[in-house]
């Protein structure tokens, strides 16, 4: 059992882009096997933890978090309570989350909060699990939480939580086009299943087992943005575009004005444009801004959750 050191402890954890995402057939348990190439990018959540008798959370920063839950259904609160339960820690924690990653944007902001909370509370409470000990807890919390803990570039299989690091060379430059409204991940998956059912004769049977294609892994291994642009893919994109048709205009705009390629990140609605250089990133962001779309420039890969 750990002993609280009082705090504060602040941990930074990254959002992610799904550079490649395949979705297998719907399983009997209602889930899909997926194969993803994740890249952690330089858009960070920061969680500050202070010792307390109970568990609480508040949000600050540029992202409107007024609609987020503050009870056990919040992934960060769930992470703190899980760590306390598993280590026998008897106290609580007051969490302050500086939110920068879009909510329901397909970039894993809630998972980053959970990963940052695990690291912060482990440090604050002196529970001593370290990164290796926290990984199994992260996997219990959700498919994207282990990756937010690890960062970098990684292949995710199973439900996305079975991670293996991918060799990546150099930096990749991205422009993120943000949406004012989120998309529900379960609704996006359901829409994909309906699309596949409707077009079953043309699409053929969906595989149970899916994998990340060699071309994607090779592109990140050698740091070749042009090759990566050709290999990027997201099975969920067709469903996200059906639910939010306005995203098609953003994709076409970015790709026609300098981006190497654009992709809906995860379940959307954030769109990630891969560009060749920081200068090209600035140009694409300016084009999007002139048309009234909010856009950010980020790069990757970056490390996972770290005390700052």
């Amino acid at each position: 059992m750990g002993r609280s050191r009082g705090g504060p402890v602040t941990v930074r954890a990254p959002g992610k882009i799904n550079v490649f995402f395949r979705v297998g057939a719907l399983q009997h348990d209602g889930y899909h096997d997926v194969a993803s190439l994740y890249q952690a990018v330089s858009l960070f959540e920061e969680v500050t933890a202070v010792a307390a008798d109970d568990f609480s959370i508040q949000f600050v920063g540029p992202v409107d978090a007024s609609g987020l839950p503050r009870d056990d259904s919040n992934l960060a609160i769930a992470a703190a309570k899980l760590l306390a339960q598993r280590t026998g820690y008897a106290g609580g924690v007051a969490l302050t989350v500086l939110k920068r990653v879009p909510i329901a944007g397909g970039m894993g902001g809630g998972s980053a909060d959970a990963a940052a909370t695990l690291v912060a509370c482990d440090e604050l409470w002196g529970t001593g699990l370290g990164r290796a000990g926290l990984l199994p807890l992260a996997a219990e919390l959700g498919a994207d939480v282990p990756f937010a803990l690890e960062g970098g570039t990684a292949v995710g299989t199973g439900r996305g939580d079975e991670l293996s690091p991918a060799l990546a060379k150099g930096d990749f430059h991205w422009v993120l086009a943000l949406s004012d409204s989120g998309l529900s991940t379960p609704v996006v998956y359901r829409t994909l299943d309906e699309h596949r059912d409707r077009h079953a004769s043309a699409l053929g049977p969906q595989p149970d087992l899916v994998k990340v294609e060699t071309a994607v892994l090779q592109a990140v291994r050698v740091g070749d943005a042009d090759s990566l642009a050709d290999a990027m893919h997201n099975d969920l994109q067709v469903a996200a575009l059906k639910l939010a048709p306005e995203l098609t205009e953003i994709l076409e705009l970015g790709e026609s004005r300098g981006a190497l390629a654009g992709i809906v990140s995860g379940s959307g609605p954030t769109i990630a444009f891969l560009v060749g250089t920081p200068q090209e990133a600035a140009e694409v962001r300016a084009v999007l801004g002139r048309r009234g779309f909010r856009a950010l420039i980020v790069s990757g890969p970056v490390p996972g959750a770290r005390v700052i």
Side-chain angles (χ1 to χ4, degrees):
M1 175 173 149
R3 190 165 54 82
S4 173
R5 300 164 186 181
V9 175
T10 299
V11 173
R12 191 168 79 163
K16 55 85 180 166
I17 294 170
N18 290 83
V19 177
F20 183 89
F21 201 72
R22 284 271 186 223
V23 179
L26 181 63
Q27 304 293 316
H28 295 302
D29 61 4
Y31 287 91
H32 306 74
D33 271 350
V34 303
S36 175
L37 187 72
Y38 298 108
Q39 185 162 98
V41 294
S42 57
L43 185 61
F44 296 97
E45 302 277 86
E46 288 180 15
V47 175
T48 298
V50 179
D53 293 331
D54 207 347
F55 294 83
S56 65
I57 190 167
Q58 62 175 344
F59 300 97
V60 297
V63 173
D64 178 11
S66 56
L68 289 181
R70 287 164 169 75
D71 57 11
D72 289 12
S73 64
N74 184 286
L75 212 51
I77 291 286
K81 288 191 171 182
L82 181 63
L83 179 62
Q85 175 197 334
R86 292 298 164 80
T87 59
Y89 180 70
V93 67
L95 301 171
T96 300
V97 180
L98 171 57
K99 282 209 75 65
R100 297 192 187 95
V101 177
I103 295 166
M107 290 190 66
S111 298
D113 294 342
T117 297
L118 287 174
V119 172
C121 289
D122 190 44
E123 174 76 15
L124 177 72
W125 296 339
T127 41
L129 291 190
R131 198 165 304 274
L134 294 174
L135 268 172
L137 303 188
E140 285 184 48
L141 290 162
D144 287 345
V145 183
F147 179 69
L149 195 61
E150 294 283 78
T153 305
V155 172
T157 52
R159 292 180 186 167
D161 58 339
E162 297 168 22
L163 292 179
S164 54
L167 293 172
K169 180 180 178 182
D171 289 325
F172 291 93
H173 304 284
W174 303 89
V175 178
L176 305 178
L178 310 178
S179 177
D180 290 326
S181 55
L183 283 175
S184 160
T185 299
V187 171
V188 174
Y189 271 94
R190 190 160 64 244
T191 304
L192 174 64
D193 291 334
E194 290 165 357
H195 170 81
R196 286 174 166 178
D197 287 344
R198 261 196 318 276
H199 301 281
S201 57
L203 294 171
Q206 299 301 316
D208 290 329
L209 287 175
V210 285
K211 64 178 185 176
V212 175
E213 290 172 8
T214 307
V216 187
L217 298 172
Q218 178 65 12
V220 297
R221 186 177 298 126
V222 300
D224 185 341
D226 289 296
S227 296
L228 182 58
D230 290 339
M232 293 194 315
H233 176 80
N234 180 7
D235 278 353
L236 292 177
Q237 181 161 308
V238 65
L241 295 182
K242 182 176 177 60
L243 291 164
E246 67 276 8
L247 299 181
T248 302
E249 179 192 352
I250 302 174
L251 272 169
E252 290 172 352
L253 178 62
E255 290 184 336
S256 68
R257 299 297 291 274
L260 299 173
I263 193 170
V264 173
S265 181
S267 55
T270 301
I271 291 176
F273 290 105
L274 179 62
V275 293
T277 66
Q279 181 183 348
E280 290 168 2
E283 291 167 0
V284 171
R285 182 176 68 171
V287 166
L288 291 165
R290 284 196 292 273
R291 292 285 288 272
F293 300 117
R294 287 187 302 129
L296 298 170
I297 296 172
V298 298
S299 61
V302 299
R306 296 288 185 276
V307 176
I308 58 172

